[in-house]
Structure formats: structure tokens, C-alpha cells
Amino acid sequence: MASNNSKALLSIKNLSVDFKVQGGLFRAVDDVSFEIAKGETVALVGESGSGKSVTALAAMQLLPYPQAIHPEGSSIIFEGDELVGKGDSFMRAIRGQQIGMIFQEPLTALNPLHNIEKQISEVLFLHQNMSKPDARARVLELLDLVGLENLKTRMGAYPHELSGGQRQRVMIAMALANNPELLIADEPTTALDVTVQAQVLELLKDLQKRLGMALLLITHDLTIVEKMSDRVCVMQNGKIVEQNETKKLFAAPQHEYTKILLSAQPKGDAIEVDGDARVIVEGTGIKIHFPNKKNIFGKATSWVKAVDDIDVVAKEGQTIGVVGESGSGKTTLGLGLLRLLGADGTIVFAGQDISRASQKDMLPLREDMQIVFQDPFGSLSPRMSVSQIIGEGLKIHRKNLSTEEREAEIIKALEDVEMDPDTRHRYPHEFSGGQRQRISIARALALRPKFIVLDEPTSALDISVQAQIVDLLRALQEKHKLSYMFISHDLRVVKAMAHDLIVMKDGKVVESGPAKAIFDNPQEDYTKALLAAALDLKTA
């Protein structure tokens, strides 16, 4: 569909966004123009910090005004109405009703004090004045739509009680509640495994077809762009450097930056590992069960078996890949091995049985075991600068370091993850999602641990940075003999990293063994389905 449609649903013309920073103004979006017609999908792609999300938030007028400024000439027209400069009362009638938005980080976008029924119902009460019974019926319908049938009996659950993928789907349900004319999807499938990713993309396509809904898709996953979009706008440093129909752009990219994006993907294989390498972590019969129901005396009568009798062995310099759908127990297993969750079974770390170790006894070992969490914004303190965040562990575990030596280690950690050390005095909210994930990785690497649990470490990163991070992690592993547990739904990344693979479903191991053998010749139907979903997504 041509971009010069005079009857565009959304028309963005000469949009610029400046942020007030110390010493002047920072231009995050620079003279951006594009249009979206009814029923059309336009994808905004580019590396972290290119201005994609800022452009989307500007369309909803959700930027932190007056710290954010639109220079003269900036225009955002939705159905004939100019949105730039409109007040909150006008925008409240637009947001959620005519324009829906799926935010990038569901844990921070969802209210931790409200259950999922209340959060999804809120937009129905606000915009449609629905009765409680009607709203509940609509919530149940939406849960079906986004593949959360199992949450129908858990509508009183809170965001922290859901997996990352479940939280993302709750966000999608909220955005779709009022059948908006335009849906802005900011990394809508980032936290989802490949099978659910395929389901959600099919859902969005089906809703577009039935409702004539337009979609502004912001993503770093070019396979999704190729599958979903009619047109593509490529952003770099706040500018649109190229825009074209999707098929034409993928067939013959014109701009050098677009060519780099299209050619970038995690490549190579896991590094060579010594078969006789010493065991760093060994878990035997690991069980983590959570009480589901209690009787009137407070005693549990049924349990959720999040991790059910799993054995894990991670050797020095080796990567254990853990894959499976959202809610399969992948993250819970990693937290259990680090003794961040209570677990039954035996856990031996570097030859020491830590199964029953107290928190005090665990403290000296924390230097050698680290974690990179799935949600970077939720795991970084908003009150601490990047320097303080990375230096916190050094203060606790390397008390002999001088201030200058500690600062040097912080700078080195940032350089390791391709971050400008001069940004270390800024705060998490001043960075893009991908940049925050790199800060989280830098924090984990700063202490040079023996074992790192990487929980979706590349999920928030654009594809070119994914490749850089995979290369970085492999190089650090080879140099320092690091042992990784790599939890991910992106099978391309796992294939490039893992020596051994564990496939999980409903808390149990479905299949395990050498990663190459499983990728080449999976034995179980569930593993075959996972690999097929990833392959279909890449080739669609």
C-alpha cells in the first residue's frame, strides 16, 4: 500500500522530539514523516536508541512533557485531528479506545497492585461503561483470544505471579479490549516463545482482517517484519533512512544501514569445550513446588509443580541451553540453582553442597554466581546511576578496591558490552530497552563469576546487537572459562551458544542431551513442534 495516501488514518509529518538534558537539548527523533492507512501494517525497525519507541509514544502523546519538546512544524494527525499539544482530557478519549498500545516491558507497564481481571476490565469501564458481568465476559473472551485459557481460573492473579510471556499476553488483551482502529505494538512478542509468538502474530493478522485495524509494529526481529508488514520504515539515530514496501525493501535494500540490518544475525557454533572440564554446578532431583490451594487451616492441598525432579550438570566453559514455552519452569529452574528460590533436591556448586546453606553462608558465593534477568527495567534500580548499579557488587565483594580501581572495572564492564563509558552517570530511564539489557549484562560480568544464569539476555535487543552480544558472551566464556545457563525462546541464539540442551514443558524435562544432536534430529514431538515453529517463523 502506498505511503502517500491522502486519507491516512495516522499521518506523521516532520516530527521531531527534543529532550531537555543537562547542558541543553538532545534530539531523539529528527524530522520523521510516514503514514498509516486503515488496515495497513507499517513496521518501524532499527537498533536500540534509534527513536522507534519515542516516535510511537509521541503518537499517543505519552512522552514526559514538558521535559520532551516538539519543535515547531511537528505534526501528528489522527483521523483529521492534530494530536501535538492536545491536552490530557482529549487524549484520554483517544488512548485505549481509538489507539491501543502494547508496551515493550509488561512488568513495568502493568500495575503490581491490581489483579489481571481488574487491569483488563479498567479500559472497558472507562470507555464503554460496561457492567461488571459484561466486563467479566469480555475479559474471558480476550483471554481466549490471546491464548491464556489457563488463566480463566486465575483472574485474581497479580503480574508477579505470571511468567514473562503470560504478562505480555495480558498486555495484548488490554490493548485489544476496545477493538481500536490503530494498534501500536512496541516489541509485542519479545517475551514470547516461538510457538506463542506465531499464535499472537496470527491473532493480530486475523484481527486486522476482521476489524480493519491498522498496526504500527515496532520490532527488532526482521523475520516478523517480513511476515507481518506492508511497509517498512528503517530508523537510525532518530531519522528514517529508508522506507519502502516490505517486499521491495527486503529484495533490494538501498541504504547501507538497511543492508547491515538484513545481514545481521547470530552466527557460528558454541565454542569448543573440554570434555574433562570440572563440574561447576550440579543439580540432582531439583523440585520447586508452589502451593496452589489451601484448606481453612492454611495447609496446602494442591501444588503447582513448577520444576519437577530435574537433573542439571554445567561444566566449566560450557553453556546449558534451556528452552520451552512460557510457564514451563525455565526461569524457576535457574533461580533454584542459584538458591534465589527454595528448592528440594541436591545442589552442588564448585564442589560445595549448598542445598541447605543459609543466606549468610551463600553471600560469599554470590560473587561466583550471577544472573541477568529477563526484564532489564524491572531489575535496575531507577534511583541508582549506571555506575552505582554496576559498582554495587564490586563494593560488596571487592572491598579492597580503591575508588579509582572500582571506576576502572565499571568502565571495562561497559566497554565489554559495547556501551559508551561516558553514559555511566546516567539513569536507567534514560536508555532504550536494548541498552538497559546491556547494562544488566555488564553488571553480571563485572565480578567475573564462574556461573551466570542468562534469562532471555537478548530478548530486548535488536538483531544486530544480538549477534554482537552472542559473540561477546562466547569470547568472555572462552577467556574466563565461564559456565552459562542460557534460558531463551529464540532458538537461533540458543543454537549459536549451547553445548547441551534441556527442553522443558510443565515443569518437566521433555528431552535433553547434546544441543547439536537435538537440533539436527529431535526425538520428541514437543521438541519437533518448537523447532518447526521457529523454522516457520523464519521462512514465512
Side-chain angles (χ1 to χ4, degrees), residues 3 39 141 209 309 319 438 455 499:
S3 61
E141 181 185 344
K209 187 176 179 180
D309 197 19
T319 298
R438 279 179 272 174
D455 190 1
H499 299 92

Side-chain angles (χ1 to χ4, degrees), residues 162-164 166 193 286-288 290 304-310 312 322-337 341 374 453 455 485 487-488 502-509 526:
L162 308 180
S163 70
Q166 289 171 324
D193 45 82
I286 303 299
K287 295 180 182 179
I288 303 174
F290 298 108
V304 175
K305 297 180 179 181
V307 174
D308 198 17
D309 197 19
I310 292 180
V312 183
V322 185
V323 300
E325 294 181 300
S326 299
S328 61
K330 307 185 298 294
T331 299
T332 305
L333 174 63
L335 294 174
L337 287 175
L341 278 179
Q374 181 176 352
V453 172
D455 190 1
M485 172 174 277
I487 299 165
S488 182
I502 295 173
V503 182
M504 290 185 66
K505 187 176 191 297
D506 298 331
K508 292 183 177 292
V509 172
Y526 178 71

Side-chain angles (χ1 to χ4, degrees), residues 407-417 448 479-480:
E407 193 78 355
E409 289 293 324
I410 292 166
I411 290 170
K412 187 174 186 305
L414 285 169
E415 289 174 341
D416 278 346
V417 295
R448 298 288 180 259
K479 182 178 179 181
H480 300 289

Side-chain angles (χ1 to χ4, degrees), residues 24-241:
L25 296 173
F26 170 72
R27 179 149 293 187
V29 175
D30 190 5
D31 198 25
V32 162
S33 298
F34 65 92
E35 294 182 342
I36 306 175
K38 290 187 177 183
E40 184 184 29
T41 298
V42 174
L44 274 183
V45 301
E47 292 183 296
S48 301
S50 62
K52 307 185 302 293
S53 294
V54 173
T55 301
L57 290 170
M60 296 276 277
Q61 292 290 283
L62 284 174
L63 292 171
Y65 305 107
Q67 285 75 26
I69 302 167
H70 294 301
E72 190 175 347
S74 296
S75 174
I76 302 169
I77 298 174
F78 179 74
E79 289 205 318
D81 289 319
E82 176 62 66
L83 301 186
V84 171
K86 278 291 193 290
D88 278 346
S89 59
F90 180 89
M91 290 306 303
R92 273 196 293 268
I94 300 287
R95 298 175 192 138
Q97 175 75 2
Q98 294 173 276
I99 305 178
M101 185 161 185
I102 303 166
F103 293 95
Q104 184 174 353
E105 290 161 337
L107 189 59
T108 53
L110 295 172
N111 190 323
L113 301 178
H114 293 169
N115 62 41
I116 61 170
E117 180 179 11
K118 185 171 183 179
Q119 298 201 51
I120 300 173
S121 298
E122 188 175 18
V123 289
L124 299 170
F125 296 143
L126 182 64
H127 292 290
Q128 296 189 38
N129 292 318
M130 273 192 182
S131 66
K132 283 190 176 181
D134 287 345
R136 186 177 182 85
R138 176 61 174 155
V139 170
L140 291 169
E141 181 185 344
L142 288 163
L143 291 177
D144 270 331
L145 270 177
V146 297
L148 288 175
E149 296 89 349
N150 59 334
L151 285 189
K152 286 183 171 183
T153 58
R154 295 180 58 207
M155 297 226 287
Y158 291 83
H160 71 274
E161 298 177 292
L162 308 180
S163 70
Q166 289 171 324
R167 287 194 290 263
Q168 188 71 291
R169 282 177 277 173
V170 168
M171 281 289 303
I172 294 170
M174 290 172 64
L176 296 175
N178 290 310
N179 297 328
E181 296 172 67
L182 171 65
L183 179 64
I184 300 175
D186 191 357
E187 302 285 3
T189 59
T190 291
L192 305 182
D193 45 82
V194 288
T195 51
V196 179
Q197 199 174 81
Q199 293 167 16
V200 168
L201 294 176
E202 285 303 316
L203 166 66
L204 291 175
K205 286 177 75 174
D206 179 58
L207 286 166
Q208 276 190 289
K209 187 176 179 180
R210 288 196 285 121
L211 305 174
M213 182 178 69
L215 179 64
L216 177 59
L217 179 65
I218 299 165
T219 181
H220 62 261
D221 193 329
L222 295 173
T223 58
I224 292 176
V225 171
E226 190 173 15
K227 181 185 177 75
M228 290 286 293
S229 68
D230 300 307
R231 286 188 299 108
V232 185
C233 299
V234 181
M235 292 192 71
Q236 183 187 30
N237 299 328
K239 292 178 177 288
I240 291 182
V241 296

Side-chain angles (χ1 to χ4, degrees), residues 14 68 121 123 125 133 151 168 246 289 292 330 457 493 496 500 514 537:
N14 309 118
S121 298
V123 289
F125 296 143
L151 285 189
Q168 188 71 291
T246 303
H289 297 175
N292 189 27
K330 307 185 298 294
V493 178
D500 284 354
L537 198 61

